[in-house]
Amino acid sequence: MSHSPHQSPAALEFTSVAVEEVSRAFGRRRALSRVSFRAVQGEILGVLGPNGAGKSTLIGILATLLRPTSGRVRYGDATESTGATLRARIGVLGHDLFLYPELTARENLEFFAGLHAVGDPAAAANDALRRAGLDARADDPVSSFSRGMRQRVALERALIHRPRLVLLDEPFTGLDDASAAALVARLRELRASGAIVIVATHDLELAEPLLNHALFLRDGRPAASIPAPDRLRAVYQDVMTRPLDETRP
């Protein structure tokens, strides 16, 4: 695989992620119960469900930030025990944007590029700012940005090292229409580039045209798994009101 001049060398390549009978408990509370699915490169998989369904827990496990109580996740032939080599191939955007508000957008992106050992942090930051449409605000402190602008910088922060697996937890929360449209366009670019993209969201309207596959969670359990969902809101309502033992994961 070829790399841009500012990209760090790929230490680990994989074309799919397989979640196999994963459960996770926090004390007596079971947040996930026997979840299984497979995500592949060049597709966007949506993890859908209400608050408390286990979406964030699943993203944390996929990001290797949490360990499953039982079951396993396979990243191609690797598992989370691969450690830093694997984590270097994962990009995560969660509820915390992990930006330094007193630094400029450029300084934030250069810092995280250096943290990931990207070969040319300045070039990587310039490219990220262009993709985010923030060239004109590159040298303004992030504290002066709108929520949507901060989200765009944070997404590029998560992508600065060209990860194979991109994990997004409720990325549309608090975005205005312009920022949401920019995020949708960026996700389509990632899919076209061959990344594995997993998005946990409850924003069905924005998710519907993006998703190649949808996994529905209820109370930490897989309620259904369907390819290329259309009429997503109607399917969601049906899945979320149907008894779990009638669902077909």
Side-chain angles (χ1 to χ4, degrees), residues 46-56 169-170 199-204 211 214-221 223-224 232 236 239-240:
V47 180
L48 309 178
N51 290 337
K55 302 189 300 295
S56 293
D169 192 0
E170 299 291 359
V199 182
T201 184
H202 62 262
D203 196 318
L204 305 180
L211 302 185
L215 170 72
F216 297 84
L217 292 181
R218 276 175 61 192
D219 299 322
R221 296 167 62 187
L232 187 57
Y236 181 90
V239 168
M240 292 302 152

Side-chain angles (χ1 to χ4, degrees), residues 68-141:
T69 305
S70 61
R72 67 177 180 177
V73 181
R74 296 194 64 84
Y75 306 80
D77 294 327
T79 65
E80 65 91 21
S81 62
T82 309
T85 305
L86 172 60
R87 286 191 289 275
R89 305 301 288 144
I90 299 174
V92 186
L93 177 62
H95 301 288
D96 191 327
L97 301 183
F98 289 107
L99 297 174
Y100 293 95
E102 70 278 11
L103 298 182
T104 67
R106 186 190 310 279
E107 287 168 340
N108 267 282
L109 292 168
E110 287 185 357
F111 171 77
F112 284 103
L115 202 62
H116 284 289
V118 172
D120 188 339
N126 285 336
D127 186 47
L129 289 162
R130 177 186 59 78
R131 289 178 181 275
L134 292 171
D135 309 63
R137 300 292 303 274
D139 297 309
D140 292 343

Side-chain angles (χ1 to χ4, degrees), residues 29-226:
R29 183 177 72 85
R30 178 158 290 203
L32 290 175
S33 181
R34 299 181 64 186
V35 174
S36 296
F37 65 89
R38 185 169 179 265
V40 300
Q41 67 175 4
E43 292 189 356
I44 300 175
L45 181 141
V47 180
L48 309 178
N51 290 337
K55 302 189 300 295
S56 293
T57 299
L58 179 58
I59 293 293
I61 288 172
L62 288 165
T64 75
L65 301 174
L66 294 171
R67 288 193 176 185
T69 305
S70 61
R72 67 177 180 177
V73 181
R74 296 194 64 84
Y75 306 80
D77 294 327
T79 65
E80 65 91 21
S81 62
T82 309
T85 305
L86 172 60
R87 286 191 289 275
R89 305 301 288 144
I90 299 174
V92 186
L93 177 62
H95 301 288
D96 191 327
L97 301 183
F98 289 107
L99 297 174
Y100 293 95
E102 70 278 11
L103 298 182
T104 67
R106 186 190 310 279
E107 287 168 340
N108 267 282
L109 292 168
E110 287 185 357
F111 171 77
F112 284 103
L115 202 62
H116 284 289
V118 172
D120 188 339
N126 285 336
D127 186 47
L129 289 162
R130 177 186 59 78
R131 289 178 181 275
L134 292 171
D135 309 63
R137 300 292 303 274
D139 297 309
D140 292 343
V142 166
S143 59
S144 70
F145 286 7
S146 68
R147 166 72 190 191
M149 292 168 65
R150 290 197 303 272
Q151 186 92 332
R152 280 147 67 185
V153 176
L155 177 62
E156 296 306 324
R157 182 268 305 158
L159 302 176
I160 197 79
H161 56 303
R162 306 286 177 90
R164 295 295 303 141
L165 173 63
V166 179
L167 304 170
L168 309 175
D169 192 0
E170 299 291 359
F172 299 107
T173 299
L175 299 189
D176 58 27
D177 289 346
S179 294
L183 177 56
V184 166
R186 191 69 173 99
L187 292 179
R188 287 180 169 142
E189 286 181 12
L190 288 170
R191 175 170 57 193
S193 75
I196 304 165
V197 182
I198 299 178
V199 182
T201 184
H202 62 262
D203 196 318
L204 305 180
E205 183 178 348
L206 287 168
E208 181 175 317
L210 280 174
L211 302 185
N212 300 100
H213 205 98
L215 170 72
F216 297 84
L217 292 181
R218 276 175 61 192
D219 299 322
R221 296 167 62 187
S225 179
I226 59 176

